Amino acid sequence: MILHLFREFSQKIKEQEPLSWLVKVTVWFLSLFIVYILGFFLVEDVSFEEAFWQGWQTFTTVGYGNRPAETSIGRWLTIVLCTLGIAILGALFSAAFDYRQHLINKKRLGLMINPFKDGYVIFNFPGEYQLINFIKELRSVENDVGICIVDSRLEELPQSISVLPKIHFVRGNTLSKETYERAEICDNKSVIIFPTVANVPDSDGATKTIIDLVSRFIGEGNTRILHLLVDPSNSWMFDNVKSTQIMESFELLALVQECQDIYSAEIVEKLLLNSKGANPKTCKPNKIVGMTWGGFLKKSIEFSESTGTNCNPFALIRGGQPDTCPKLSEIIQKDDFISIIAHHNFDWAAFENEVTAD
């Protein structure tokens, strides 16, 4: 009988949604357990604690037998309810395991909500090799940052990526509202949109659609949007959009520069790779406002020599446009930004204090 009941419960698990079945089996088991405890308490004239103890050891088949049933009603109560309880307990463990496996499968297949906050959301799987390198560079600075990949073409992530820590996958149509909700883009710092198909200019149209939908979800939030542009002639589509544009063919541009000026590509690569020493850092000037660019360069060199702090002023950014070679007489203004090449532990506030100290 027990085996028959267990088979029926197992079949039910396969037929129903795992969480619903787990809840039902749990309610049945607790109800049966409570009925037995109350019945044993009333019929056998024992303390509630003793009734609970007797119920636990019988339902779990431990069977210490400290205070077995002595009345006929108590014995029949034990036979009937505990036989059912043992069967339901087996089904309960099976349902719990099945639900756990269900959650693992949902996560693997990209059906669960992105659990990360203040991380990165990547639309369109860019390829295994490219994504692994991208994750490596991100985590050379942000060791524990969460990364969520959103894609409609993948059944599941390649194992080489899924085994990495704090990686999540959301599988869904980029035209579906549910996809953006499960990606939790509003709770993350950046959304990065790769082309749906690398090196295909028409992919820029799909990128524009995703940017528009992402923008609707983040509203006036602080989530930043970055996108890769395949064809420069399509840049008109992204006028006045809340997204930073990066050329997909940047590697080709670096190659051309290398042909024109030896070592250029290697220098640019080291600047962009977070794992290769110093990187550009955007800083907001406060105390150096009003100083000329030439004066700032001179003070920076003097401070670097006297303290051993390695940094190099790289560009003056005004109105969102970087000038990598400003005039020495250019006055640093209040709304400007300064790009500095320095290591990750560089303290801009302390640097600015020393530079302006008399």
Side-chain angles (χ1 to χ4, degrees), residues 43-88:
V43 173
E44 295 296 322
D45 192 25
V46 297
S47 67
F48 187 79
E49 180 184 4
E50 182 67 28
F52 185 92
W53 172 246
Q54 181 66 20
W56 175 84
Q57 62 177 309
T58 308
F59 271 64
T60 58
T61 70
V62 174
Y64 290 120
N66 303 74
R67 175 63 170 80
E70 296 178 353
T71 66
S72 296
I73 297 177
R75 290 174 178 176
W76 278 108
L77 189 69
T78 300
I79 291 172
V80 175
L81 295 184
C82 289
T83 300
L84 293 173
I86 292 170
I88 294 176

mmCIF file of all heavy atoms in Angstrom, residues 43-88:
data_model
loop_
_atom_site.group_PDB
_atom_site.id
_atom_site.type_symbol
_atom_site.label_atom_id
_atom_site.label_comp_id
_atom_site.label_asym_id
_atom_site.label_seq_id
_atom_site.Cartn_x
_atom_site.Cartn_y
_atom_site.Cartn_z
ATOM 1 N N VAL A 43 -6.486 10.601 23.283
ATOM 2 C CA VAL A 43 -6.846 9.202 23.512
ATOM 3 C C VAL A 43 -5.953 8.532 24.554
ATOM 4 O O VAL A 43 -6.421 7.777 25.414
ATOM 5 C CB VAL A 43 -6.802 8.425 22.180
ATOM 6 C CG1 VAL A 43 -6.998 6.924 22.421
ATOM 7 C CG2 VAL A 43 -7.881 8.941 21.239
ATOM 8 N N GLU A 44 -4.642 8.811 24.474
ATOM 9 C CA GLU A 44 -3.685 8.122 25.342
ATOM 10 C C GLU A 44 -3.438 8.844 26.658
ATOM 11 O O GLU A 44 -2.683 8.357 27.512
ATOM 12 C CB GLU A 44 -2.365 7.939 24.591
ATOM 13 C CG GLU A 44 -2.458 7.027 23.388
ATOM 14 C CD GLU A 44 -2.822 5.606 23.775
ATOM 15 O OE1 GLU A 44 -2.344 5.131 24.821
ATOM 16 O OE2 GLU A 44 -3.605 4.976 23.032
ATOM 17 N N ASP A 45 -4.033 10.018 26.828
ATOM 18 C CA ASP A 45 -3.900 10.771 28.085
ATOM 19 C C ASP A 45 -2.428 11.007 28.446
ATOM 20 O O ASP A 45 -1.952 10.646 29.531
ATOM 21 C CB ASP A 45 -4.604 10.043 29.229
ATOM 22 C CG ASP A 45 -4.751 10.931 30.469
ATOM 23 O OD1 ASP A 45 -4.763 12.173 30.299
ATOM 24 O OD2 ASP A 45 -4.817 10.387 31.594
ATOM 25 N N VAL A 46 -1.685 11.582 27.491
ATOM 26 C CA VAL A 46 -0.274 11.930 27.719
ATOM 27 C C VAL A 46 -0.104 13.435 27.536
ATOM 28 O O VAL A 46 -1.027 14.131 27.094
ATOM 29 C CB VAL A 46 0.655 11.172 26.745
ATOM 30 C CG1 VAL A 46 0.576 9.666 26.979
ATOM 31 C CG2 VAL A 46 0.297 11.521 25.298
ATOM 32 N N SER A 47 1.080 13.939 27.881
ATOM 33 C CA SER A 47 1.355 15.363 27.689
ATOM 34 C C SER A 47 1.468 15.671 26.195
ATOM 35 O O SER A 47 1.729 14.772 25.382
ATOM 36 C CB SER A 47 2.642 15.765 28.409
ATOM 37 O OG SER A 47 3.761 15.154 27.793
ATOM 38 N N PHE A 48 1.306 16.934 25.878
ATOM 39 C CA PHE A 48 1.405 17.336 24.466
ATOM 40 C C PHE A 48 2.820 17.087 23.941
ATOM 41 O O PHE A 48 3.009 16.677 22.798
ATOM 42 C CB PHE A 48 1.041 18.819 24.315
ATOM 43 C CG PHE A 48 0.944 19.273 22.898
ATOM 44 C CD1 PHE A 48 -0.185 19.006 22.140
ATOM 45 C CD2 PHE A 48 2.008 19.933 22.299
ATOM 46 C CE1 PHE A 48 -0.265 19.407 20.810
ATOM 47 C CE2 PHE A 48 1.937 20.331 20.974
ATOM 48 C CZ PHE A 48 0.789 20.066 20.231
ATOM 49 N N GLU A 49 3.797 17.309 24.807
ATOM 50 C CA GLU A 49 5.186 17.058 24.404
ATOM 51 C C GLU A 49 5.401 15.585 24.079
ATOM 52 O O GLU A 49 6.053 15.245 23.082
ATOM 53 C CB GLU A 49 6.136 17.492 25.518
ATOM 54 C CG GLU A 49 7.615 17.265 25.176
ATOM 55 C CD GLU A 49 8.529 17.612 26.333
ATOM 56 O OE1 GLU A 49 8.033 17.945 27.422
ATOM 57 O OE2 GLU A 49 9.759 17.533 26.142
ATOM 58 N N GLU A 50 4.839 14.719 24.917
ATOM 59 C CA GLU A 50 4.983 13.284 24.684
ATOM 60 C C GLU A 50 4.277 12.873 23.391
ATOM 61 O O GLU A 50 4.782 12.033 22.625
ATOM 62 C CB GLU A 50 4.397 12.518 25.871
ATOM 63 C CG GLU A 50 4.538 11.006 25.768
ATOM 64 C CD GLU A 50 5.986 10.542 25.861
ATOM 65 O OE1 GLU A 50 6.807 11.232 26.505
ATOM 66 O OE2 GLU A 50 6.299 9.483 25.263
ATOM 67 N N ALA A 51 3.110 13.470 23.147
ATOM 68 C CA ALA A 51 2.371 13.164 21.917
ATOM 69 C C ALA A 51 3.161 13.602 20.680
ATOM 70 O O ALA A 51 3.214 12.886 19.672
ATOM 71 C CB ALA A 51 1.003 13.848 21.946
ATOM 72 N N PHE A 52 3.770 14.769 20.784
ATOM 73 C CA PHE A 52 4.583 15.269 19.663
ATOM 74 C C PHE A 52 5.777 14.347 19.430
ATOM 75 O O PHE A 52 6.104 13.993 18.298
ATOM 76 C CB PHE A 52 5.053 16.690 19.958
ATOM 77 C CG PHE A 52 5.784 17.342 18.820
ATOM 78 C CD1 PHE A 52 5.112 18.115 17.895
ATOM 79 C CD2 PHE A 52 7.158 17.167 18.649
ATOM 80 C CE1 PHE A 52 5.784 18.700 16.829
ATOM 81 C CE2 PHE A 52 7.833 17.745 17.601
ATOM 82 C CZ PHE A 52 7.137 18.517 16.688
ATOM 83 N N TRP A 53 6.438 13.956 20.506
ATOM 84 C CA TRP A 53 7.611 13.077 20.410
ATOM 85 C C TRP A 53 7.223 11.728 19.806
ATOM 86 O O TRP A 53 7.936 11.203 18.946
ATOM 87 C CB TRP A 53 8.219 12.919 21.791
ATOM 88 C CG TRP A 53 9.313 11.898 21.897
ATOM 89 C CD1 TRP A 53 9.285 10.737 22.607
ATOM 90 C CD2 TRP A 53 10.606 11.952 21.282
ATOM 91 N NE1 TRP A 53 10.466 10.056 22.482
ATOM 92 C CE2 TRP A 53 11.304 10.791 21.659
ATOM 93 C CE3 TRP A 53 11.230 12.869 20.444
ATOM 94 C CZ2 TRP A 53 12.591 10.516 21.235
ATOM 95 C CZ3 TRP A 53 12.524 12.588 20.017
ATOM 96 C CH2 TRP A 53 13.189 11.442 20.410
ATOM 97 N N GLN A 54 6.103 11.185 20.241
ATOM 98 C CA GLN A 54 5.647 9.904 19.715
ATOM 99 C C GLN A 54 5.311 10.025 18.227
ATOM 100 O O GLN A 54 5.620 9.138 17.428
ATOM 101 C CB GLN A 54 4.420 9.429 20.494
ATOM 102 C CG GLN A 54 3.860 8.087 20.063
ATOM 103 C CD GLN A 54 4.813 6.939 20.346
ATOM 104 O OE1 GLN A 54 5.705 7.072 21.177
ATOM 105 N NE2 GLN A 54 4.634 5.829 19.641
ATOM 106 N N GLY A 55 4.671 11.134 17.862
ATOM 107 C CA GLY A 55 4.335 11.347 16.459
ATOM 108 C C GLY A 55 5.569 11.455 15.583
ATOM 109 O O GLY A 55 5.648 10.850 14.509
ATOM 110 N N TRP A 56 6.579 12.195 16.054
ATOM 111 C CA TRP A 56 7.798 12.382 15.243
ATOM 112 C C TRP A 56 8.520 11.071 15.030
ATOM 113 O O TRP A 56 8.891 10.730 13.909
ATOM 114 C CB TRP A 56 8.725 13.383 15.930
ATOM 115 C CG TRP A 56 10.033 13.521 15.193
ATOM 116 C CD1 TRP A 56 10.305 14.301 14.122
ATOM 117 C CD2 TRP A 56 11.244 12.784 15.457
ATOM 118 N NE1 TRP A 56 11.595 14.135 13.700
ATOM 119 C CE2 TRP A 56 12.197 13.195 14.509
ATOM 120 C CE3 TRP A 56 11.602 11.832 16.414
ATOM 121 C CZ2 TRP A 56 13.486 12.687 14.480
ATOM 122 C CZ3 TRP A 56 12.892 11.312 16.384
ATOM 123 C CH2 TRP A 56 13.825 11.732 15.425
ATOM 124 N N GLN A 57 8.733 10.290 16.106
ATOM 125 C CA GLN A 57 9.512 9.062 15.979
ATOM 126 C C GLN A 57 8.772 8.001 15.166
ATOM 127 O O GLN A 57 9.395 7.156 14.516
ATOM 128 C CB GLN A 57 9.883 8.512 17.357
ATOM 129 C CG GLN A 57 8.708 8.118 18.225
ATOM 130 C CD GLN A 57 9.147 7.523 19.549
ATOM 131 O OE1 GLN A 57 9.959 6.612 19.572
ATOM 132 N NE2 GLN A 57 8.626 8.039 20.647
ATOM 133 N N THR A 58 7.430 8.074 15.163
ATOM 134 C CA THR A 58 6.667 7.099 14.376
ATOM 135 C C THR A 58 6.615 7.500 12.903
ATOM 136 O O THR A 58 6.833 6.674 12.006
ATOM 137 C CB THR A 58 5.232 6.964 14.918
ATOM 138 O OG1 THR A 58 5.286 6.709 16.335
ATOM 139 C CG2 THR A 58 4.507 5.828 14.234
ATOM 140 N N PHE A 59 6.349 8.772 12.613
ATOM 141 C CA PHE A 59 6.268 9.255 11.222
ATOM 142 C C PHE A 59 7.615 9.119 10.507
ATOM 143 O O PHE A 59 7.654 8.889 9.309
ATOM 144 C CB PHE A 59 5.811 10.716 11.199
ATOM 145 C CG PHE A 59 4.328 10.879 11.140
ATOM 146 C CD1 PHE A 59 3.512 10.443 12.173
ATOM 147 C CD2 PHE A 59 3.718 11.461 10.040
ATOM 148 C CE1 PHE A 59 2.147 10.591 12.129
ATOM 149 C CE2 PHE A 59 2.342 11.618 9.976
ATOM 150 C CZ PHE A 59 1.550 11.175 11.031
ATOM 151 N N THR A 60 8.705 9.279 11.248
ATOM 152 C CA THR A 60 10.035 9.184 10.642
ATOM 153 C C THR A 60 10.596 7.776 10.701
ATOM 154 O O THR A 60 11.741 7.558 10.281
ATOM 155 C CB THR A 60 11.019 10.145 11.341
ATOM 156 O OG1 THR A 60 11.069 9.829 12.754
ATOM 157 C CG2 THR A 60 10.587 11.590 11.166
ATOM 158 N N THR A 61 9.819 6.845 11.212
ATOM 159 C CA THR A 61 10.178 5.426 11.334
ATOM 160 C C THR A 61 11.366 5.191 12.256
ATOM 161 O O THR A 61 11.999 4.128 12.191
ATOM 162 C CB THR A 61 10.470 4.783 9.955
ATOM 163 O OG1 THR A 61 11.686 5.294 9.443
ATOM 164 C CG2 THR A 61 9.340 5.044 8.971
ATOM 165 N N VAL A 62 11.699 6.165 13.096
ATOM 166 C CA VAL A 62 12.779 5.958 14.071
ATOM 167 C C VAL A 62 12.338 4.918 15.099
ATOM 168 O O VAL A 62 13.070 3.991 15.441
ATOM 169 C CB VAL A 62 13.162 7.289 14.757
ATOM 170 C CG1 VAL A 62 14.176 7.043 15.867
ATOM 171 C CG2 VAL A 62 13.720 8.262 13.737
ATOM 172 N N GLY A 63 11.127 5.108 15.641
ATOM 173 C CA GLY A 63 10.511 4.101 16.488
ATOM 174 C C GLY A 63 11.219 3.787 17.781
ATOM 175 O O GLY A 63 11.507 2.624 18.076
ATOM 176 N N TYR A 64 11.499 4.823 18.580
ATOM 177 C CA TYR A 64 12.115 4.574 19.884
ATOM 178 C C TYR A 64 11.170 3.797 20.817
ATOM 179 O O TYR A 64 11.604 3.010 21.651
ATOM 180 C CB TYR A 64 12.503 5.890 20.563
ATOM 181 C CG TYR A 64 13.662 6.591 19.899
ATOM 182 C CD1 TYR A 64 13.525 7.871 19.385
ATOM 183 C CD2 TYR A 64 14.902 5.965 19.782
ATOM 184 C CE1 TYR A 64 14.586 8.517 18.768
ATOM 185 C CE2 TYR A 64 15.966 6.598 19.172
ATOM 186 C CZ TYR A 64 15.802 7.872 18.669
ATOM 187 O OH TYR A 64 16.854 8.506 18.066
ATOM 188 N N GLY A 65 9.881 4.047 20.685
ATOM 189 C CA GLY A 65 8.919 3.315 21.493
ATOM 190 C C GLY A 65 8.877 3.715 22.947
ATOM 191 O O GLY A 65 8.523 2.908 23.812
ATOM 192 N N ASN A 66 9.209 4.953 23.276
ATOM 193 C CA ASN A 66 9.192 5.414 24.674
ATOM 194 C C ASN A 66 7.810 5.276 25.290
ATOM 195 O O ASN A 66 7.665 4.862 26.437
ATOM 196 C CB ASN A 66 9.623 6.881 24.749
ATOM 197 C CG ASN A 66 10.995 7.088 24.127
ATOM 198 O OD1 ASN A 66 11.092 7.049 22.922
ATOM 199 N ND2 ASN A 66 12.025 7.286 24.939
ATOM 200 N N ARG A 67 6.814 5.625 24.534
ATOM 201 C CA ARG A 67 5.444 5.581 25.065
ATOM 202 C C ARG A 67 4.508 5.161 23.934
ATOM 203 O O ARG A 67 3.808 5.966 23.347
ATOM 204 C CB ARG A 67 5.069 6.957 25.627
ATOM 205 C CG ARG A 67 3.625 7.102 26.098
ATOM 206 C CD ARG A 67 3.307 6.168 27.270
ATOM 207 N NE ARG A 67 2.023 6.490 27.849
ATOM 208 C CZ ARG A 67 0.835 6.105 27.348
ATOM 209 N NH1 ARG A 67 0.776 5.374 26.240
ATOM 210 N NH2 ARG A 67 -0.285 6.430 27.969
ATOM 211 N N PRO A 68 4.533 3.889 23.559
ATOM 212 C CA PRO A 68 3.663 3.435 22.464
ATOM 213 C C PRO A 68 2.196 3.494 22.870
ATOM 214 O O PRO A 68 1.852 3.579 24.051
ATOM 215 C CB PRO A 68 4.116 1.990 22.246
ATOM 216 C CG PRO A 68 4.677 1.561 23.561
ATOM 217 C CD PRO A 68 5.303 2.789 24.162
ATOM 218 N N ALA A 69 1.349 3.462 21.867
ATOM 219 C CA ALA A 69 -0.094 3.503 22.124
ATOM 220 C C ALA A 69 -0.524 2.272 22.918
ATOM 221 O O ALA A 69 -0.100 1.138 22.630
ATOM 222 C CB ALA A 69 -0.853 3.576 20.807
ATOM 223 N N GLU A 70 -1.396 2.476 23.906
ATOM 224 C CA GLU A 70 -1.874 1.385 24.749
ATOM 225 C C GLU A 70 -3.346 1.074 24.528
ATOM 226 O O GLU A 70 -3.806 -0.041 24.758
ATOM 227 C CB GLU A 70 -1.628 1.734 26.229
ATOM 228 C CG GLU A 70 -0.149 1.862 26.558
ATOM 229 C CD GLU A 70 0.091 2.248 28.010
ATOM 230 O OE1 GLU A 70 -0.905 2.546 28.707
ATOM 231 O OE2 GLU A 70 1.257 2.261 28.434
ATOM 232 N N THR A 71 -4.104 2.065 24.069
ATOM 233 C CA THR A 71 -5.526 1.840 23.818
ATOM 234 C C THR A 71 -5.733 1.358 22.392
ATOM 235 O O THR A 71 -4.883 1.589 21.513
ATOM 236 C CB THR A 71 -6.331 3.129 24.042
ATOM 237 O OG1 THR A 71 -5.947 4.084 23.046
ATOM 238 C CG2 THR A 71 -6.069 3.709 25.434
ATOM 239 N N SER A 72 -6.857 0.694 22.161
ATOM 240 C CA SER A 72 -7.160 0.210 20.805
ATOM 241 C C SER A 72 -7.305 1.362 19.823
ATOM 242 O O SER A 72 -6.809 1.299 18.685
ATOM 243 C CB SER A 72 -8.456 -0.620 20.832
ATOM 244 O OG SER A 72 -8.300 -1.768 21.617
ATOM 245 N N ILE A 73 -7.974 2.426 20.269
ATOM 246 C CA ILE A 73 -8.144 3.593 19.382
ATOM 247 C C ILE A 73 -6.782 4.200 19.049
ATOM 248 O O ILE A 73 -6.516 4.562 17.901
ATOM 249 C CB ILE A 73 -9.070 4.632 20.049
ATOM 250 C CG1 ILE A 73 -10.462 4.055 20.267
ATOM 251 C CG2 ILE A 73 -9.134 5.903 19.194
ATOM 252 C CD1 ILE A 73 -11.421 5.001 20.979
ATOM 253 N N GLY A 74 -5.931 4.326 20.062
ATOM 254 C CA GLY A 74 -4.601 4.895 19.836
ATOM 255 C C GLY A 74 -3.781 4.065 18.881
ATOM 256 O O GLY A 74 -3.043 4.591 18.050
ATOM 257 N N ARG A 75 -3.890 2.718 19.006
ATOM 258 C CA ARG A 75 -3.126 1.849 18.114
ATOM 259 C C ARG A 75 -3.633 1.932 16.668
ATOM 260 O O ARG A 75 -2.834 1.977 15.729
ATOM 261 C CB ARG A 75 -3.204 0.411 18.623
ATOM 262 C CG ARG A 75 -2.413 0.211 19.926
ATOM 263 C CD ARG A 75 -2.614 -1.165 20.512
ATOM 264 N NE ARG A 75 -1.811 -1.314 21.724
ATOM 265 C CZ ARG A 75 -1.843 -2.395 22.512
ATOM 266 N NH1 ARG A 75 -2.660 -3.410 22.199
ATOM 267 N NH2 ARG A 75 -1.087 -2.458 23.591
ATOM 268 N N TRP A 76 -4.961 1.929 16.508
ATOM 269 C CA TRP A 76 -5.500 2.053 15.157
ATOM 270 C C TRP A 76 -5.190 3.437 14.562
ATOM 271 O O TRP A 76 -4.935 3.571 13.370
ATOM 272 C CB TRP A 76 -7.011 1.813 15.159
ATOM 273 C CG TRP A 76 -7.351 0.358 15.155
ATOM 274 C CD1 TRP A 76 -7.860 -0.391 16.165
ATOM 275 C CD2 TRP A 76 -7.161 -0.521 14.051
ATOM 276 N NE1 TRP A 76 -8.019 -1.700 15.793
ATOM 277 C CE2 TRP A 76 -7.592 -1.815 14.467
ATOM 278 C CE3 TRP A 76 -6.675 -0.379 12.749
ATOM 279 C CZ2 TRP A 76 -7.553 -2.929 13.651
ATOM 280 C CZ3 TRP A 76 -6.648 -1.483 11.927
ATOM 281 C CH2 TRP A 76 -7.075 -2.743 12.371
ATOM 282 N N LEU A 77 -5.184 4.442 15.413
ATOM 283 C CA LEU A 77 -4.803 5.788 14.970
ATOM 284 C C LEU A 77 -3.369 5.797 14.468
ATOM 285 O O LEU A 77 -3.049 6.382 13.423
ATOM 286 C CB LEU A 77 -4.959 6.776 16.138
ATOM 287 C CG LEU A 77 -4.824 8.272 15.818
ATOM 288 C CD1 LEU A 77 -6.004 8.744 14.975
ATOM 289 C CD2 LEU A 77 -4.749 9.089 17.114
ATOM 290 N N THR A 78 -2.510 5.105 15.200
ATOM 291 C CA THR A 78 -1.103 5.027 14.799
ATOM 292 C C THR A 78 -0.946 4.257 13.494
ATOM 293 O O THR A 78 -0.193 4.656 12.606
ATOM 294 C CB THR A 78 -0.284 4.343 15.914
ATOM 295 O OG1 THR A 78 -0.391 5.106 17.114
ATOM 296 C CG2 THR A 78 1.179 4.235 15.509
ATOM 297 N N ILE A 79 -1.671 3.128 13.380
ATOM 298 C CA ILE A 79 -1.557 2.300 12.170
ATOM 299 C C ILE A 79 -1.977 3.076 10.921
ATOM 300 O O ILE A 79 -1.265 3.111 9.907
ATOM 301 C CB ILE A 79 -2.415 1.026 12.316
ATOM 302 C CG1 ILE A 79 -1.795 0.093 13.373
ATOM 303 C CG2 ILE A 79 -2.516 0.291 10.972
ATOM 304 C CD1 ILE A 79 -2.684 -1.093 13.726
ATOM 305 N N VAL A 80 -3.143 3.704 10.993
ATOM 306 C CA VAL A 80 -3.699 4.365 9.801
ATOM 307 C C VAL A 80 -2.951 5.655 9.460
ATOM 308 O O VAL A 80 -2.445 5.834 8.339
ATOM 309 C CB VAL A 80 -5.202 4.665 10.006
ATOM 310 C CG1 VAL A 80 -5.744 5.463 8.822
ATOM 311 C CG2 VAL A 80 -5.988 3.381 10.188
ATOM 312 N N LEU A 81 -2.870 6.557 10.451
ATOM 313 C CA LEU A 81 -2.290 7.871 10.159
ATOM 314 C C LEU A 81 -0.797 7.803 9.887
ATOM 315 O O LEU A 81 -0.286 8.504 9.011
ATOM 316 C CB LEU A 81 -2.579 8.839 11.313
ATOM 317 C CG LEU A 81 -4.053 9.185 11.548
ATOM 318 C CD1 LEU A 81 -4.191 10.230 12.653
ATOM 319 C CD2 LEU A 81 -4.702 9.696 10.271
ATOM 320 N N CYS A 82 -0.082 6.968 10.632
ATOM 321 C CA CYS A 82 1.369 6.912 10.427
ATOM 322 C C CYS A 82 1.734 6.187 9.136
ATOM 323 O O CYS A 82 2.745 6.503 8.522
ATOM 324 C CB CYS A 82 2.037 6.250 11.625
ATOM 325 S SG CYS A 82 2.005 7.311 13.090
ATOM 326 N N THR A 83 0.904 5.217 8.709
ATOM 327 C CA THR A 83 1.147 4.584 7.411
ATOM 328 C C THR A 83 1.011 5.607 6.284
ATOM 329 O O THR A 83 1.845 5.680 5.373
ATOM 330 C CB THR A 83 0.164 3.425 7.181
ATOM 331 O OG1 THR A 83 0.348 2.451 8.207
ATOM 332 C CG2 THR A 83 0.412 2.778 5.824
ATOM 333 N N LEU A 84 -0.052 6.423 6.365
ATOM 334 C CA LEU A 84 -0.217 7.494 5.382
ATOM 335 C C LEU A 84 0.895 8.523 5.505
ATOM 336 O O LEU A 84 1.409 9.036 4.496
ATOM 337 C CB LEU A 84 -1.579 8.173 5.576
ATOM 338 C CG LEU A 84 -2.810 7.334 5.270
ATOM 339 C CD1 LEU A 84 -4.071 8.088 5.674
ATOM 340 C CD2 LEU A 84 -2.850 6.981 3.789
ATOM 341 N N GLY A 85 1.264 8.825 6.748
ATOM 342 C CA GLY A 85 2.305 9.833 6.977
ATOM 343 C C GLY A 85 3.639 9.438 6.400
ATOM 344 O O GLY A 85 4.363 10.258 5.827
ATOM 345 N N ILE A 86 4.007 8.138 6.530
ATOM 346 C CA ILE A 86 5.279 7.665 5.980
ATOM 347 C C ILE A 86 5.290 7.814 4.462
ATOM 348 O O ILE A 86 6.284 8.230 3.858
ATOM 349 C CB ILE A 86 5.520 6.203 6.397
ATOM 350 C CG1 ILE A 86 5.768 6.120 7.911
ATOM 351 C CG2 ILE A 86 6.715 5.610 5.644
ATOM 352 C CD1 ILE A 86 5.774 4.715 8.454
ATOM 353 N N ALA A 87 4.161 7.460 3.831
ATOM 354 C CA ALA A 87 4.070 7.588 2.370
ATOM 355 C C ALA A 87 4.185 9.043 1.935
ATOM 356 O O ALA A 87 4.893 9.380 0.983
ATOM 357 C CB ALA A 87 2.753 6.986 1.882
ATOM 358 N N ILE A 88 3.480 9.928 2.663
ATOM 359 C CA ILE A 88 3.509 11.349 2.301
ATOM 360 C C ILE A 88 4.880 11.950 2.582
ATOM 361 O O ILE A 88 5.361 12.824 1.843
ATOM 362 C CB ILE A 88 2.408 12.113 3.060
ATOM 363 C CG1 ILE A 88 1.035 11.637 2.589
ATOM 364 C CG2 ILE A 88 2.533 13.614 2.831
ATOM 365 C CD1 ILE A 88 -0.124 12.261 3.333
#
